[in-house]
Amino acid sequence: MRYTLHIEGPYDSRSIEVGDSISIGRTELANVVIDDSGLSRVNTTFFIDDGELLVADENSTNGTFLNGERIEGRPRILRDGDRLKIGSNTTIRVEAVSENSGYPSSAPQAAAPVRQEPAAAIVTATPAYKPQQPNATQDKLPLVVIAAGIMTVVILLFGGIAYVVVSQMDSGTPGPKGNQATASALIPVRVIDPLGGENEEELDDLIASWEVAEEEINASDVADIKVESPEAEAAELNVSATFLADRQRLALADRPGETGIRPAGLQVPKELYGDGVIKQKQKLAQMKAEGYQQPMDFADLAAKRLSGDLIEMPMAAQSFYLDVGGSAQDKVFSSYSFSQGAADIVPGHPKFDTLKRLADNFAGQKYDLNLPEHRKQIRRRLLRMFQSPAKPILKELADAYFARFQRPLRVTSLTRSMDYQILLNSNNANSFKVKGEGSLPPHTSGCAFDLARKHMPVEEQNFVMAKLAEMERAGKLDALIEYGVNACFHVFIYRDGRPPTASNFSSYDYETFPFLAGIRLNSDH
């Protein structure tokens, strides 16, 4: 039997013949990668055993549905015409074709043997047809009856033995072939890949879940920045909406070459896979241990702006522009905590004075907290903030890209407050439930930024990745390539300028999450 999966994803369709086994997910950890944000990293596995096609859900967040029913635990046998749904919007139709007939197994054809329990298979087996000789059957009839009786006893005996063996296998006794399921036994439980499910303590799940794109910035809706300060760094903030629109137009202009998430010729260096997940996770844990307070709301971002803990980046320069703040709202500012939820920040609120101080003198520019448009612009400026060591790193990368292609880099996220992250995630099917302040999403640290890439031809994407790999080898940053709807290069800098040593992140993560060692050892895939 030959089995083909006809896959319809949110953005493309394909047909894949199953050889031995095939896994489907949203990342390169799966054999077949689908651009569906609702998929887990390794979502569903199809495998052939003893001529039959089976499907197993790999403990995915959104599940695997077979003909409308969610499958859990044991794999299910698939038939021609079965339909599956995975992720947010991916469907799969199973086609089974007999290799002898060339027709689907459901088409009219000669009856094929049906696999059954051992005893039943022998009892119902039809002997090969042989022409009978006159009176031969009558002469031997008593012998046949006796033989049939003996065979029945033997069948029952072996059937009982088979039942005991099967029961032992089902009770968890390991067998020599692991997950090799047969129809003559209850299908054993598949070993669940620990990378299949989502875990809010894991950085790659944090990235995948929190990497939600904002609305594209509309330059006509952005206010000019006019600061009054003798400091050169503050003077860089003086950027007009017209200049922002010019940088945006140049960055997104059409040019020759294949673009997209996976253009032909995409060459991903090993540095953009590998142990970046582990190193970023440790640096975030280190920041928390040193007392870094993640900004829960825009008032907390304002406090970091006033204290200098975070610096403001110009919304555009010759070699880059910030496509951030497109989803900023103009409503009254609110505070946020996991325990108390949201509350409007009005006069008398503990955080009101912080916002008022910044609004009265935002690097020499004054805003009125009572005006909706001013509140939106304040939010946008706060979303342009960064850890100061990240600025020269972004500039080095952007300048190299501009020198090569004469286009500005499109930066799609810098620092976000937790309530802004939650706002963006409200419609994200793959986002996890916030369980408290135990996790530190990368973009609340001020150390992460994203570079959009879907608009870049493959030559430009390869150039950026080569530069990121070079900077990673120099210990300046860690970079990961992200797929999905918000395809980007995720970049993380070290606030203290020191990458974690191999011994540090090995002892920290490999003991707690031993399966992560496989990522590091397989970093050149």
Side-chain angles (χ1 to χ4, degrees):
M1 192 70 68
R2 200 167 65 247
Y3 297 97
T4 303
L5 304 178
H6 300 284
I7 305 171
E8 293 285 342
Y11 303 99
D12 64 352
S13 61
R14 65 191 84 173
S15 295
I16 298 174
E17 186 172 333
V18 182
D20 182 20
S21 66
I22 288 178
S23 60
I24 297 178
R26 72 164 194 271
T27 71
E28 297 289 341
L29 293 169
N31 302 126
V32 179
V33 180
I34 305 295
D35 184 12
D36 184 337
S37 62
L39 292 174
S40 294
R41 287 170 291 185
V42 179
N43 198 98
T44 308
T45 297
F46 297 83
F47 62 99
I48 294 177
D49 179 67
D50 201 13
E52 289 192 315
L53 177 65
L54 297 97
V55 60
D57 180 76
E58 299 289 5
N59 194 28
S60 65
T61 299
N62 292 314
T64 299
F65 292 82
L66 171 58
N67 299 325
E69 177 188 356
R70 183 165 186 164
I71 63 174
E72 296 177 317
R74 303 181 185 282
R76 300 286 187 87
I77 296 174
L78 296 175
R79 307 297 184 194
D80 181 63
D82 281 346
R83 293 183 178 275
L84 300 101
K85 181 181 183 302
I86 58 177
S88 299
N89 193 27
T90 298
T91 59
I92 302 170
R93 178 175 61 84
V94 178
E95 180 185 9
V97 177
S98 172
E99 292 183 304
N100 294 329
S101 68
Y103 292 100
S105 60
S106 58
Q109 53 185 301
V114 178
R115 296 202 302 165
Q116 304 176 37
E117 295 296 332
I122 299 176
V123 171
T124 60
T126 302
Y129 174 76
K130 292 183 180 180
Q132 295 183 356
Q133 298 180 4
N135 300 323
T137 301
Q138 295 176 358
D139 294 339
K140 298 182 179 180
L141 183 58
L143 181 60
V144 172
V145 172
I146 294 171
I150 295 173
M151 287 298 296
T152 300
V153 173
V154 172
I155 288 168
L156 292 175
L157 176 62
F158 280 96
I161 295 173
Y163 177 79
V164 172
V165 172
V166 168
S167 300
Q168 292 297 319
M169 290 176 63
D170 188 51
S171 65
T173 304
K177 297 182 70 176
N179 63 9
Q180 293 295 316
T182 65
S184 62
L186 295 177
I187 300 174
V189 175
R190 289 268 289 163
V191 177
I192 300 300
D193 185 345
L195 291 176
E198 310 309 316
N199 181 348
E200 57 268 27
E201 294 301 320
E202 291 307 311
L203 182 69
D204 45 354
D205 280 330
L206 283 170
I207 293 172
S209 296
W210 288 116
E211 292 296 287
V212 183
E214 301 176 80
E215 294 182 14
E216 187 174 308
I217 198 74
N218 181 357
S220 64
D221 189 39
V222 175
D224 296 344
I225 301 298
K226 300 177 181 178
V227 303
E228 296 178 5
S229 173
E231 299 178 5
E233 187 171 277
E236 290 180 352
L237 301 177
N238 283 305
V239 178
S240 69
T242 301
F243 183 69
L244 172 65
D246 176 75
R247 298 291 90 185
Q248 183 180 45
R249 176 195 58 76
L250 185 58
L252 300 179
D254 291 336
R255 54 265 207 190
E258 183 180 349
T259 62
I261 298 173
R262 302 173 188 278
L266 193 69
Q267 300 172 358
V268 183
K270 64 180 181 180
E271 287 82 3
L272 270 69
Y273 290 113
D275 52 23
V277 168
I278 306 169
K279 291 190 284 188
Q280 290 188 36
K281 185 176 185 293
Q282 176 165 359
K283 294 304 288 188
L284 289 168
Q286 180 181 326
M287 288 180 65
K288 286 179 59 182
E290 293 172 351
Y292 178 81
Q293 297 295 318
Q294 61 184 341
M296 300 301 294
D297 47 50
F298 281 92
D300 288 348
L301 286 176
K304 290 184 179 294
R305 177 67 172 78
L306 289 169
S307 67
D309 192 14
L310 296 176
I311 64 169
E312 185 179 358
M313 293 286 289
M315 62 181 174
Q318 183 185 48
S319 60
F320 69 87
Y321 83 97
L322 305 184
D323 198 345
V324 301
S327 299
Q329 299 177 327
D330 61 6
K331 65 180 184 179
V332 172
F333 287 100
S334 60
S335 62
Y336 182 80
S337 71
F338 291 116
S339 58
Q340 301 296 323
D344 287 348
I345 299 178
V346 294
H349 190 284
K351 293 185 176 182
F352 181 81
D353 287 345
T354 299
L355 282 170
K356 184 70 166 60
R357 274 202 302 137
L358 183 66
D360 286 346
N361 184 12
F362 205 143
Q365 192 163 354
K366 183 177 176 61
Y367 295 94
D368 187 343
L369 292 177
N370 295 313
L371 298 178
E373 182 57 30
H374 282 201
R375 292 195 293 263
K376 179 186 286 188
Q377 299 307 329
I378 290 174
R379 283 183 169 94
R380 285 177 171 163
R381 290 188 65 176
L382 291 173
L383 291 170
R384 298 171 190 154
M385 295 198 305
F386 221 4
Q387 294 280 351
S388 57
K391 182 178 179 179
I393 291 175
L394 173 58
K395 191 172 187 305
E396 177 184 345
L397 180 62
D399 287 350
Y401 174 77
F402 185 82
R404 175 67 177 81
F405 299 104
Q406 295 300 298
R407 298 183 187 280
L409 270 181
R410 181 186 174 202
V411 182
T412 50
S413 63
L414 293 177
T415 302
R416 296 173 176 175
S417 60
M418 184 63 78
D419 64 342
Y420 191 66
Q421 292 272 33
I422 293 171
L423 168 69
L424 296 177
N425 275 46
S426 60
N427 294 318
N428 179 18
N430 201 42
S431 64
F432 58 82
K433 294 180 180 179
V434 177
K435 296 185 178 180
E437 299 186 43
S439 60
L440 180 62
H443 287 290
T444 62
S445 70
C447 295
F449 61 94
D450 292 343
L451 304 174
R453 64 183 184 85
K454 285 190 290 188
H455 65 288
M456 292 182 181
V458 64
E459 180 187 4
E460 295 181 19
Q461 293 193 41
N462 286 339
F463 177 87
V464 172
M465 287 190 289
K467 181 63 178 177
L468 287 171
E470 171 193 315
M471 298 175 77
E472 182 165 336
R473 290 192 295 270
K476 297 180 179 181
L477 53 79
D478 272 304
L480 299 170
I481 184 170
E482 284 293 313
Y483 297 90
V485 177
N486 187 35
C488 66
F489 301 120
H490 173 81
V491 184
F492 183 86
I493 63 96
Y494 306 121
R495 185 171 68 157
D496 57 5
R498 296 192 302 273
T501 61
S503 59
N504 282 343
F505 65 75
S506 292
S507 61
Y508 180 84
D509 277 290
Y510 294 167
E511 284 184 16
T512 309
F513 305 105
F515 61 83
L516 288 177
I519 300 177
R520 184 165 181 259
L521 294 173
N522 195 32
S523 62
D524 58 348
H525 66 285

